[in-house]
Amino acid sequence: AQSVTQLGSHVSVSEGALVLLRCNYSSSVPPYLFWYVQYPNQGLQLLLKYTSAATLVKGINGFEAEFKKSETSFHLTKPSAHMSDAAEYFCAVSVGGSARQLTFGSGTQLTVLP
Amino acid sequence: EAGVTQFPSHSVIEKGQTVTLRCDPISGHDNLYWYRRVMGKEIKFLLHFVKESKQDESGMPNNRFLAERTGGTYSTLKVQPAELEDSGVYFCASSQDVAGKQFFGPGTRLTVL
């Protein structure tokens, strides 16, 4: 069975600062990894996904994540935070070559300070 | 293109009552998923429809939950009778194919008193 751990339920950064949201996964087979974002009163929106191609994945809104098999990590980064990045972020994993059943982490609430 | 819609956005019911949640997927999406987030914990998979068939219902917590997708279009999730621990946010998602990107609805916040 697969699992996801997100370190830090709340992260605060200053506007313009680096955003780093941590995600570690556990999977007995090569995983597919995802980052989703949820803005208030909206559904989850896919930021990016790793599907065993390039280990550095670029997503929308300037976010990217690097798959590190040796560390079983898939941390999300953005060089410069914007106020509009304030939201809850979820890391998720699926196995078996499809996205049919996503296993999510507990989420990280990102606050961007002016 | 309309996204995934869910109704109602909020529901407050008393323990023992029945509630039915509805999800309208994106038109043409054969795959429909239900997920639940309880008490700020992880979002957990409940079940997966392919058209009107239940492909995987391994995440359904117990037999108080009944999901249907008649005609392969919209889906309903009924909780009967509701218990306090059923409170949470119920998300629906749809995708065009099994390996495809899942599009999520805004969720239904269920509160059981």
Side-chain angles (χ1 to χ4, degrees):
Chain A
Q2 63 272 16
S3 66
V4 174
T5 301
Q6 290 184 241
L7 296 176
S9 58
H10 291 82
V11 171
S12 293
V13 300
S14 298
E15 190 174 20
L18 171 72
V19 176
L20 171 61
L21 304 183
R22 299 178 186 274
C23 172
N24 287 86
Y25 70 91
S26 172
S27 175
S28 58
V29 298
Y32 282 18
L33 293 160
F34 307 81
W35 274 99
Y36 281 84
V37 60
Q38 186 181 23
Y39 299 102
N41 301 317
Q42 295 185 28
L44 280 73
Q45 180 181 359
L46 182 65
L47 274 178
L48 50 82
K49 66 178 181 180
Y50 165 77
T51 57
S52 74
T55 57
L56 181 62
V57 182
K58 294 187 183 299
I60 62 172
N61 301 340
F63 284 94
E64 63 181 35
E66 186 172 7
F67 173 70
K68 292 187 176 180
K69 184 177 179 180
S70 61
E71 300 177 8
T72 62
S73 68
F74 191 58
H75 302 330
L76 182 71
T77 60
K78 181 174 181 177
S80 177
H82 192 273
M83 297 297 289
S84 61
D85 295 327
E88 191 161 21
Y89 292 79
F90 297 90
C91 183
V93 63
S94 73
V95 297
S98 76
R100 79 183 89 193
Q101 182 183 127
L102 295 170
T103 299
F104 285 89
S106 54
T108 297
Q109 182 68 48
L110 176 67
T111 300
V112 182
L113 305 171
Chain B
E1 176 183 289
V4 177
T5 58
Q6 294 187 243
F7 182 83
S9 57
H10 293 82
S11 180
V12 180
I13 61 172
E14 294 189 352
K15 176 183 172 181
Q17 290 186 320
T18 297
V19 63
T20 300
L21 313 180
R22 173 170 169 145
C23 169
D24 285 78
I26 293 172
S27 178
H29 282 195
D30 287 341
N31 294 270
L32 187 149
Y33 310 81
W34 283 99
Y35 293 85
R36 176 175 77 165
R37 189 183 192 192
V38 174
M39 294 292 287
K41 295 185 178 178
E42 298 87 354
I43 300 169
K44 292 203 171 181
F45 168 82
L46 295 178
L47 87 160
H48 169 211
F49 283 99
V50 177
K51 297 184 179 179
E52 67 274 11
S53 300
K54 292 176 185 175
Q55 186 74 14
D56 181 354
E57 53 184 327
S58 61
M60 293 289 265
N62 52 61
N63 60 10
R64 295 186 293 103
F65 289 76
L66 175 64
E68 295 180 324
R69 193 183 182 194
T70 307
T73 54
Y74 70 91
S75 174
T76 58
L77 179 64
K78 179 189 288 187
V79 184
Q80 179 183 28
E83 298 289 344
L84 299 178
E85 63 265 24
D86 300 332
S87 295
V89 181
Y90 290 76
F91 293 101
C92 175
S94 71
S95 66
Q96 194 160 26
D97 52 62
V98 169
K101 172 183 172 181
Q102 291 186 28
F103 293 83
F104 281 77
T108 293
R109 182 174 295 277
L110 174 64
T111 302
V112 183
L113 303 175

